[in-house]
Protein backbone atom coordinates (compact mmCIF):
# COMPACT_ATOMS: atom_id res chain seq x y z
CA UNK A 1 0.00 0.00 0.00
CA UNK A 2 1.23 3.42 -0.94
CA UNK A 3 0.10 6.34 1.13
CA UNK A 4 -0.01 10.07 0.49
CA UNK A 5 -0.36 12.52 3.35
CA UNK A 6 -1.55 16.06 2.75
CA UNK A 7 -1.14 18.64 5.49
CA UNK A 8 -2.73 22.10 5.48
CA UNK A 9 -2.68 25.00 7.87
CA UNK A 10 -5.84 25.82 9.82
CA UNK A 11 -8.40 27.87 7.91
CA UNK A 12 -8.63 31.18 9.79
CA UNK A 13 -10.76 32.84 7.12
CA UNK A 14 -14.54 33.23 7.08
CA UNK A 15 -14.88 31.44 3.75
CA UNK A 16 -14.42 27.79 2.78
CA UNK A 17 -11.22 27.21 0.87
CA UNK A 18 -10.85 24.53 -1.79
CA UNK A 19 -7.88 23.07 -3.59
CA UNK A 20 -7.53 20.44 -6.32
CA UNK A 21 -4.86 17.85 -5.48
CA UNK A 22 -3.62 15.99 -8.54
CA UNK A 23 -1.95 12.62 -8.00
CA UNK A 24 0.12 11.25 -10.91
CA UNK A 25 1.23 7.64 -11.18
CA UNK A 26 2.89 6.75 -14.44
CA UNK A 27 0.59 7.94 -17.22
CA UNK A 28 -2.51 7.95 -14.98
CA UNK A 29 -3.65 10.85 -12.86
CA UNK A 30 -6.54 11.47 -10.48
CA UNK A 31 -7.88 14.79 -9.16
CA UNK A 32 -9.04 15.02 -5.56
CA UNK A 33 -10.94 18.11 -4.44
CA UNK A 34 -10.17 19.04 -0.82
CA UNK A 35 -12.34 21.64 0.96
CA UNK A 36 -11.61 23.13 4.36
CA UNK A 37 -14.64 24.68 6.04
CA UNK A 38 -14.47 28.30 7.11
CA UNK A 39 -13.86 29.45 10.62
CA UNK A 40 -17.14 29.90 12.50
CA UNK A 41 -17.22 33.18 14.34
CA UNK A 42 -19.61 35.49 16.09
CA UNK A 43 -17.82 38.47 17.58
CA UNK A 44 -19.15 41.86 18.61
CA UNK A 45 -16.53 44.57 18.23
CA UNK A 46 -18.07 46.57 21.11
CA UNK A 47 -19.13 44.86 24.36
CA UNK A 48 -20.00 47.77 26.59
CA UNK A 49 -22.05 50.96 26.48
CA UNK A 50 -21.72 52.49 29.94
CA UNK A 51 -23.11 55.75 31.31
CA UNK A 52 -25.27 56.55 28.28
CA UNK A 53 -27.09 59.87 28.61
CA UNK A 54 -30.81 59.86 29.45
CA UNK A 55 -31.78 61.04 25.95
CA UNK A 56 -33.14 58.79 23.21
CA UNK A 57 -30.32 57.44 21.07
CA UNK A 58 -29.23 54.71 18.69
CA UNK A 59 -26.21 52.57 19.55
CA UNK A 60 -24.38 50.52 16.96
CA UNK A 61 -22.60 47.20 17.43
CA UNK A 62 -20.26 46.18 14.58
CA UNK A 63 -20.12 42.39 14.16
CA UNK A 64 -17.77 39.86 12.66
CA UNK A 65 -19.96 36.87 11.91
CA UNK A 66 -20.46 34.12 9.39
CA UNK A 67 -22.93 32.08 11.44
CA UNK A 68 -26.61 32.27 12.25
CA UNK A 69 -27.27 34.02 15.54
CA UNK A 70 -30.16 35.14 17.70
CA UNK A 71 -30.47 38.51 19.49
CA UNK A 72 -31.93 38.31 23.00
CA UNK A 73 -33.14 41.39 24.89
CA UNK A 74 -34.74 40.60 28.26
CA UNK A 75 -38.49 41.33 28.55
CA UNK A 76 -37.81 44.06 31.14
CA UNK A 77 -35.25 45.77 28.90
CA UNK A 78 -37.58 45.56 25.88
CA UNK A 79 -39.50 48.38 27.53
CA UNK A 80 -36.57 50.72 26.79
CA UNK A 81 -34.40 48.95 24.18
CA UNK A 82 -35.50 47.77 20.75
CA UNK A 83 -33.54 46.39 17.85
CA UNK A 84 -33.51 48.54 14.73
CA UNK A 85 -32.92 47.14 11.26
CA UNK A 86 -29.32 45.84 10.91
CA UNK A 87 -27.19 47.15 8.06
CA UNK A 88 -24.45 44.91 6.63
CA UNK A 89 -22.35 43.75 9.57
CA UNK A 90 -23.72 46.20 12.15
CA UNK A 91 -26.57 45.84 14.64
CA UNK A 92 -28.47 48.92 15.79
CA UNK A 93 -30.42 49.31 19.02
CA UNK A 94 -32.75 52.18 19.94
CA UNK A 95 -32.45 53.32 23.55
CA UNK A 96 -35.52 55.20 24.83
CA UNK A 97 -35.38 58.40 26.90
CA UNK A 98 -34.98 57.75 30.65
CA UNK A 99 -36.51 60.51 32.78
CA UNK A 100 -38.27 58.65 35.58
CA UNK A 101 -35.50 56.98 37.57
CA UNK A 102 -33.05 57.99 40.22
CA UNK A 103 -30.42 55.32 39.52
CA UNK A 104 -28.90 54.12 36.24
CA UNK A 105 -30.74 51.28 34.51
CA UNK A 106 -28.70 48.35 33.27
CA UNK A 107 -29.13 45.30 31.07
CA UNK A 108 -27.27 42.94 28.77
CA UNK A 109 -28.07 41.99 25.19
CA UNK A 110 -27.00 38.49 24.25
CA UNK A 111 -26.05 37.36 20.74
CA UNK A 112 -26.18 33.56 20.61
CA UNK A 113 -24.63 31.37 17.90
CA UNK A 114 -27.60 29.08 17.21
CA UNK A 115 -25.44 26.18 15.97
CA UNK A 116 -22.74 26.12 18.64
CA UNK A 117 -24.46 27.80 21.59
CA UNK A 118 -21.57 30.26 21.98
CA UNK A 119 -22.57 33.82 22.77
CA UNK A 120 -21.45 37.42 22.94
CA UNK A 121 -22.73 39.76 25.65
CA UNK A 122 -23.22 43.51 25.27
CA UNK A 123 -23.62 45.41 28.56
CA UNK A 124 -25.61 48.65 28.60
CA UNK A 125 -26.22 51.22 31.33
CA UNK A 126 -28.13 54.47 30.96
CA UNK A 127 -28.16 57.34 33.42
CA UNK A 128 -31.50 58.92 34.38
CA UNK A 129 -32.48 62.41 33.33
CA UNK A 130 -32.99 65.19 35.86
CA UNK A 131 -35.61 63.94 38.32
CA UNK A 132 -37.19 65.55 41.35
CA UNK A 133 -39.48 63.59 43.68
CA UNK A 134 -41.21 65.29 46.62
CA UNK A 135 -43.34 63.12 48.92
CA UNK A 136 -45.78 64.02 50.37
CA UNK A 137 -46.68 67.09 48.34
CA UNK A 138 -49.48 68.31 50.65
CA UNK A 139 -49.33 71.58 52.50
CA UNK A 140 -53.05 71.78 53.34
CA UNK A 141 -54.97 69.13 55.21
CA UNK A 142 -58.74 69.58 55.64
CA UNK A 143 -58.44 73.14 54.33
CA UNK A 144 -55.95 74.13 57.05
CA UNK A 145 -52.34 74.97 56.40
CA UNK A 146 -50.15 72.39 58.02
CA UNK A 147 -46.47 72.02 58.60
CA UNK A 148 -45.43 68.79 56.88
CA UNK A 149 -42.21 66.83 56.68
CA UNK A 150 -41.07 66.40 53.10
CA UNK A 151 -38.68 63.80 51.79
CA UNK A 152 -36.74 65.10 48.80
CA UNK A 153 -34.84 62.84 46.42
CA UNK A 154 -33.22 64.32 43.35
CA UNK A 155 -30.85 63.35 40.59
CA UNK A 156 -30.36 67.02 39.67
CA UNK A 157 -29.26 70.20 41.44
CA UNK A 158 -32.20 72.00 43.10
CA UNK A 159 -33.04 74.92 45.37
CA UNK A 160 -35.98 75.67 47.59
CA UNK A 161 -37.87 78.91 46.93
Amino acid sequence: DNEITITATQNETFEDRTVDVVVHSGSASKVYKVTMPSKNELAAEVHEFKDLSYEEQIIEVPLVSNVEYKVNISPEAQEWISQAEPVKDTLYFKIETYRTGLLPRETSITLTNTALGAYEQIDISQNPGPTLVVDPALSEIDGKKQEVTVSLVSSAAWELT
Side-chain angles (χ1 to χ4, degrees), residues 37-49:
S38 63
K39 171 179 166 180
N40 289 330
E41 176 131 8
L42 172 61
E45 293 184 11
V46 179
H47 290 94
E48 192 173 77
F49 293 88

Side-chain angles (χ1 to χ4, degrees), residues 27-79:
S27 62
S29 65
K30 175 119 177 147
V31 177
Y32 295 91
K33 185 175 286 283
V34 178
T35 301
M36 291 184 72
S38 63
K39 171 179 166 180
N40 289 330
E41 176 131 8
L42 172 61
E45 293 184 11
V46 179
H47 290 94
E48 192 173 77
F49 293 88
K50 294 291 184 187
D51 297 320
L52 295 175
S53 73
Y54 71 92
E55 297 146 330
E56 179 181 296
Q57 57 203 285
I58 301 286
I59 60 172
E60 56 183 72
V61 180
L63 283 183
V64 174
S65 177
N66 66 338
V67 296
E68 295 290 321
Y69 60 89
K70 181 179 172 187
V71 177
N72 183 28
I73 303 171
S74 73
E76 299 81 23
Q78 288 177 19
E79 295 176 11

Side-chain angles (χ1 to χ4, degrees), residues 8 22 29-30 42 47 53 62-63 78 86 89 102 104-105 121 124-125 136 145 157:
V22 182
S29 65
K30 175 119 177 147
L42 172 61
H47 290 94
S53 73
L63 283 183
Q78 288 177 19
D89 297 326
L102 296 172
R105 58 185 177 183
Q121 182 171 303
I124 299 170
S125 71
K145 293 202 181 240

Side-chain angles (χ1 to χ4, degrees), residues 83-140:
Q83 184 177 359
E85 193 65 34
V87 177
K88 282 193 160 197
D89 297 326
T90 303
L91 297 176
Y92 296 91
F93 298 95
K94 180 180 178 186
I95 310 297
E96 297 293 337
T97 301
Y98 181 36
R99 292 188 187 273
T100 58
L102 296 172
L103 298 173
R105 58 185 177 183
E106 300 177 340
T107 194
S108 294
I109 296 173
T110 306
L111 309 175
T112 305
N113 175 329
T114 52
L116 302 175
Y119 68 92
E120 288 282 291
Q121 182 171 303
I122 302 159
D123 297 322
I124 299 170
S125 71
Q126 183 183 31
N127 293 320
T131 303
L132 178 64
V133 177
V134 178
D135 188 32
L138 299 175
S139 62
E140 286 189 21

